[in-house]
Amino acid sequence: MLHGLMMDYQLTLDRIVEHAGRMYGRKKVITKQPDGTMHEETYAELADRVRRLSSALANLGVEVGDRVGTFGWNSYQHLELYFAIPCAGAVCHTLNIRLSAEQLTYIIDHAEDKVVFIDGSLLPLYESLTQDVQSVQYHILYNAPRDVQTGLKNVLFYEDLVAEGDSHFVWRSTDERMAMGLCYTSGTTGNPKGALYSHRSMFLHTLGAMAANSLGVDERDTVLAVVPQFHAMAWGLPFAGLYTGATLLMPGRFLQPEPLAELIETYRVTVAAGVPTIWNGLYHELRNKRRDISCIRALVVGGAAMPRALTKAYEQELGVNVVHAWGMTELSPLGTVCVLQSHHNELSQEEQWDVKATQGYAVPGVEMRIVDDLGQVLPWDGQTMGELQVRGPWVARQYFKIEPKLEHFTADGWFRTGDVVTISEDGYMRITDRTKDLVKSGGEWISSVDLENALVGHEKVLEAAVFAIPDEKWSERPAAAVVPVHGQIVTEQELNDYLLAAGFAKFWLPDRYLFIEEIPKTSTGKLSKRTLRQQYG
């Protein structure tokens, strides 16, 4: 076989941080600190601190392949750790601060974290959530006073490590197939499962996020990473932002609608990414207190489907372009984006919003297919529903310390997502439900996602979640948990009339409505239908 005569250039993360420090040394990462003040750090400063931190980890006895945990908000320190840990040859294990005590203790123990970095503002939470885990040898605090009281063993301070680090440290990230990151799923069923990323997979994922027909992050952007750094590596935005020289804006703990609106307007954010519940809250904040956020060229939505009505409202009322995206922890997480193509220019505005309500097409580097219950590949016709399966260079091939199983990975190498979707002839994917959330009533499938998107379009509805409840006659029937807009009263009859007017069949109408103050959320901000089924099913 004849091989190409190309340079052996390892796709490792030290390339990204060195490029950013050299080419975009004056660009900045800006952080809203726990006390509300703003901190600015140039990429040149960040590159130097990353090298010092890497050397400090090596001096602490962290070996190649060791796992190092992080327990923090989105911040410049957390960004430094995104690079310092992998460039020291170790694995950056982002700990989800919203997991239960049992789950958090489990994943620290399962990953065998040797060191854990903790944001001082989260120290009481960390201490309350974790039991004594034998593998952790050092706890390192940042944003914490020197006289902080803690029962943790072997406590060190972040800035001491930076000050004592070697600015000439030689990177240990010598092989692109070395592991660089570890993220665990939110564990909605059973124990959380770990997705282990390599330098190569994250490097290629970064290029995928930078691609023009993907998220298209570039040097002129100011990127607000609302999606937490402990959730699927903040969807890769910190890596893409740094590599392309964009300004990175980190909101810290300030994820509420009012401070987010202030950050967007003040810093003229061009790209912002988060789950629909975040953007739903922001929209209602802006309805009450108008701010100019038309600077946003891409409001990236992932984690769940954004209701069409909310997309329309952002674009019509606020002048903000909404970009649907889909991914999973197992995909690092970018899988699809929904950007209109040239042939969509012929469509009416309403038809374009119909397209933008889908999750879009596979980004370069990801392949998709849909299959039926027997594993037969189904057509892309926009109507046929099946389970979505994906493969590509940044798609996991198994879970950490778990042998591949056919319930997760097919025999021919595809990852089973568990999403039920349709794909149009031109490749636009629409999620109709999760396999576990579909309602099967009298042998007919009812999409909870379609009902939720319609209900949220009602002017009196803030949030809605549809889930299955047992039924003696039909096996299952849909129920809807509804949060009314503050100060509004909405009735079951109003909502049923609204759904019928929207074209839903009568048998799709929920048998039961629950009007509640708040819908429970998962650790990643998604609607927790599992909790609803447990409470009301």
Side-chain angles (χ1 to χ4, degrees), residues 32-99:
K32 194 171 180 70
Q33 296 281 74
D35 62 2
T37 60
M38 303 302 295
H39 176 278
E40 297 187 1
E41 176 178 274
T42 68
Y43 286 175
E45 292 169 335
L46 179 140
D48 178 66
R49 286 167 61 87
V50 165
R51 196 180 288 269
R52 290 175 180 273
L53 273 171
S54 288
S55 75
L57 285 169
N59 291 338
L60 285 179
V62 173
E63 303 288 347
V64 171
D66 283 344
R67 274 73 68 195
V68 175
T70 64
F71 193 80
W73 301 108
N74 292 14
S75 67
Y76 72 95
Q77 298 104 321
H78 209 163
L79 180 65
E80 291 169 352
L81 292 168
Y82 261 33
F83 291 92
I85 296 169
C87 291
V91 180
C92 180
H93 175 203
T94 53
L95 299 168
N96 189 330
I97 69 173
R98 298 189 179 119
L99 291 181

Side-chain angles (χ1 to χ4, degrees), residues 11 32 42 57 66 100 156 169 187 203 254 258 264 272 280 290 317 334 339 342 385 415 429 446-447 498 516 518 521:
L11 305 182
K32 194 171 180 70
T42 68
L57 285 169
D66 283 344
S100 67
L156 302 174
F169 177 71
F203 195 105
F254 297 94
E258 185 175 6
I264 292 169
N280 191 28
R290 192 60 182 260
E317 300 173 27
L334 186 59
V339 178
S342 56
M385 290 193 300
F415 171 64
M429 182 263 288
I446 296 174
S447 168
Y498 182 77
I516 57 181
E518 183 179 3
K521 309 291 194 303

